[in-house]
Amino acid sequence: MPDVQAYEQFLSKETASQLKKETEDSASYYPISASGVTVGVCRSSELPSGVALPAGIELGTTALSAEVLLQAENTSPNLIAVRFRALLGVRPNDIDATVQTCQKARLVTIDGAVLGDGQKLSQIARKRGMSQTCEASLFTDGNARANLVGLYIANDDNTLNSIQQVSVNAIVYCGEDATREAVADLIATAVRRVLTTARDVAEDMSVCMAHYPLFGCGISATVVSAADEETGDESGETRSAWRRKTQEQFVLPLDRPFLRKSCRVYTAEASKNEVGDGGHPGRLADVHHGIKTHGLGDEGVAVHLVQNKYLYCHYMQDRFNDSGWGCAYRSLQTVLSWCAFERYAQFEKGVLPTHKDIQRALVDVGDKPPTFFGSKEWIGANEVCYALEKLTGVSSRILHVSRGSEMEGKGRELARHFDEQGSPVMVGGGVLAWTILGVARNEKTGKTKFLILDPHYEGRDELSTIQNKGWIAWKSADVFKADAFYNLCMPLRPSEV
């Protein structure tokens, strides 16, 4: 396979990573594009069951080899996501009538503001960068109460028995220059797609519609599922098999979830289930971005880093004094935040487990006696592994290092961990606990630097202070005490999607 660097610029990193593993004879895909830019690929010219592409996103009909895709020189499309939700009156065998009603809308509002004749969407859309999302409503005339849905049902009194009410949740992607007519046409196209999919999924069109980020550039697809599946067991064999098949078809990895309920976007539930700040406003994420270089130079040096997002958890956060004993708890909280961002876990009200939650988990699994709950006892890497699995279901492996002088020799093993698993590594021993977020390693000499996040910080969550004072920094192997032992808790990605 050719180098994928250019491809990763505009296609999902997860998809690009999977394409690296594909063999030459299977490297043929159907491109999924937005505004002429490839944002994903599909293994066939038909979408998986229950999946509908939003309007503005197209599935190609001509297969392209990976080599052709990799030669593309496009950049991410600058699109606005427009969401349309309504209770529509639909004849299952005459979806065209509903679509035409949407197209004939005389009034389009965006976030409650009228998109007038000659106006561009960008003039009234919320300004939140490329991932901005706004809500659209359609009306048949200037009376805000005369929603097209109500009128559509009322105008068909003689055939009410043949009309079914469907709660439509559709999304479209359009350019900033989109006009009222263009937005209405796109919404009509999206309505056609989700209604057609709904008809295929359930004869009575009793369905649920939700959006999942499956492609690059932050672009999502809509999944339509039968209403009874929505309330069923998400871990059931049938649903699990569907998720696996769908991810395979979109060339997505099978060691992380993309289609669980916790992965949804553009919903009230999604905003509630985002990992929170642990009750401490301003808790920082990804504090390693922008720090000074590792100092090993460029020649022969490879850098291996934590994948995706985490929160910096340290002493004294949550208005809780754990100075002197809570460093391992804080390191575990950082790992837990990564699990939540990866959608391996959901925490109540989006708040990370507290020290007491962690202690309760260790008591529940039988690792600690009941008297441990509410104490100020230290925990180590083994306890972190037990608590992590109890709280999230994510298992880990322990890497034993008998002497700190051996840590540099573990560089290759840590590099492989960050490449394959990408999770933060909690390290305990030598009367301390740290979090390792990456390694930089000279392949020829074995010289290694460790990217260490230090949970012992007690100050305010100010990025400049944390970076300038070395609370997140590249450190040499001699930071580990030569004669002290260390255990590393290395979380493993679950194999279930």
Side-chain angles (χ1 to χ4, degrees), residues 254-369:
L254 299 177
D255 60 357
R256 65 203 70 179
F258 288 87
L259 291 160
R260 287 184 175 271
K261 293 176 184 177
S262 59
C263 301
R264 291 176 177 175
V265 294
Y266 309 134
T267 66
E269 292 78 9
S271 61
K272 291 178 182 177
N273 290 331
E274 288 289 348
V275 63
D277 56 18
H280 187 88
R283 182 169 287 187
L284 300 172
D286 305 335
V287 294
H288 68 288
H289 290 171
I291 66 169
K292 296 179 181 179
T293 179
H294 47 70
L296 291 179
D298 297 324
E299 186 176 354
V301 175
V303 178
H304 314 264
L305 296 174
V306 62
Q307 298 174 18
N308 301 327
K309 196 171 184 178
Y310 64 89
L311 294 177
Y312 179 29
C313 303
H314 57 79
Y315 279 168
M316 307 298 286
Q317 283 180 332
D318 319 318
R319 301 178 180 87
F320 182 70
N321 185 352
D322 58 343
S323 180
W325 63 275
C327 52
Y329 294 85
R330 296 299 187 177
S331 181
L332 173 54
Q333 284 183 331
T334 289
V335 176
L336 290 168
S337 73
W338 179 87
C339 291
F341 283 122
E342 292 292 283
R343 307 298 184 181
Y344 293 132
Q346 289 178 271
F347 301 120
E348 186 176 357
K349 297 181 180 179
V351 177
L352 293 174
T354 65
H355 294 54
K356 286 187 176 181
D357 293 330
I358 294 167
Q359 291 175 339
R360 184 181 293 109
L362 290 172
V363 172
D364 289 345
V365 300
D367 180 67
K368 300 292 183 184

Side-chain angles (χ1 to χ4, degrees), residues 162-398:
S162 67
I163 294 178
Q164 293 170 314
Q165 291 188 341
V166 181
S167 182
V168 166
N169 185 345
I171 191 167
V172 307
Y173 292 95
C174 50
E176 296 180 344
D177 294 338
T179 61
R180 174 179 62 81
E181 293 82 0
V183 172
D185 282 344
L186 282 167
I187 290 176
T189 299
V191 168
R192 182 188 298 278
R193 290 180 177 180
V194 295
L195 289 181
T196 301
T197 305
R199 184 177 57 189
D200 296 338
V201 168
E203 290 185 4
D204 62 356
M205 300 188 81
S206 177
V207 295
C208 173
M209 302 176 188
H211 313 294
Y212 296 84
L214 298 182
F215 309 121
C217 309
I219 291 173
S220 302
T222 301
V223 172
V224 184
S225 54
D228 57 350
E229 291 182 0
E230 180 67 13
T231 57
D233 181 7
E234 191 174 34
S235 62
E237 185 175 343
T238 301
R239 201 64 183 166
S240 179
W242 172 82
R243 288 196 299 269
R244 178 173 291 274
K245 182 178 180 180
T246 301
Q247 289 184 204
E248 284 179 339
Q249 195 157 343
F250 285 134
V251 199
L252 292 169
L254 299 177
D255 60 357
R256 65 203 70 179
F258 288 87
L259 291 160
R260 287 184 175 271
K261 293 176 184 177
S262 59
C263 301
R264 291 176 177 175
V265 294
Y266 309 134
T267 66
E269 292 78 9
S271 61
K272 291 178 182 177
N273 290 331
E274 288 289 348
V275 63
D277 56 18
H280 187 88
R283 182 169 287 187
L284 300 172
D286 305 335
V287 294
H288 68 288
H289 290 171
I291 66 169
K292 296 179 181 179
T293 179
H294 47 70
L296 291 179
D298 297 324
E299 186 176 354
V301 175
V303 178
H304 314 264
L305 296 174
V306 62
Q307 298 174 18
N308 301 327
K309 196 171 184 178
Y310 64 89
L311 294 177
Y312 179 29
C313 303
H314 57 79
Y315 279 168
M316 307 298 286
Q317 283 180 332
D318 319 318
R319 301 178 180 87
F320 182 70
N321 185 352
D322 58 343
S323 180
W325 63 275
C327 52
Y329 294 85
R330 296 299 187 177
S331 181
L332 173 54
Q333 284 183 331
T334 289
V335 176
L336 290 168
S337 73
W338 179 87
C339 291
F341 283 122
E342 292 292 283
R343 307 298 184 181
Y344 293 132
Q346 289 178 271
F347 301 120
E348 186 176 357
K349 297 181 180 179
V351 177
L352 293 174
T354 65
H355 294 54
K356 286 187 176 181
D357 293 330
I358 294 167
Q359 291 175 339
R360 184 181 293 109
L362 290 172
V363 172
D364 289 345
V365 300
D367 180 67
K368 300 292 183 184
T371 54
F372 175 69
F373 182 74
S375 70
K376 294 184 178 181
E377 290 188 33
W378 293 2
I379 60 173
N382 286 302
E383 289 92 340
V384 166
C385 290
Y386 303 148
L388 178 63
E389 186 161 14
K390 173 65 176 179
L391 292 167
T392 68
V394 173
S395 61
S396 310
R397 75 180 185 90
I398 288 285

Side-chain angles (χ1 to χ4, degrees), residues 19-36:
L19 286 175
K20 289 180 182 179
K21 304 173 184 177
E22 300 290 314
T23 59
E24 289 287 352
D25 57 0
S26 65
S28 182
Y29 310 94
Y30 292 83
I32 298 170
S33 61
S35 296

Side-chain angles (χ1 to χ4, degrees), residues 29-71:
Y29 310 94
Y30 292 83
I32 298 170
S33 61
S35 296
V37 176
T38 301
V39 295
V41 292
C42 188
R43 292 184 186 274
S44 72
S45 58
E46 294 184 0
L47 293 171
S49 171
V51 177
L53 289 181
I57 310 299
E58 303 296 334
L59 173 62
T61 57
T62 303
L64 297 175
S65 67
E67 286 83 354
V68 173
L69 286 171
L70 289 165
Q71 292 169 5

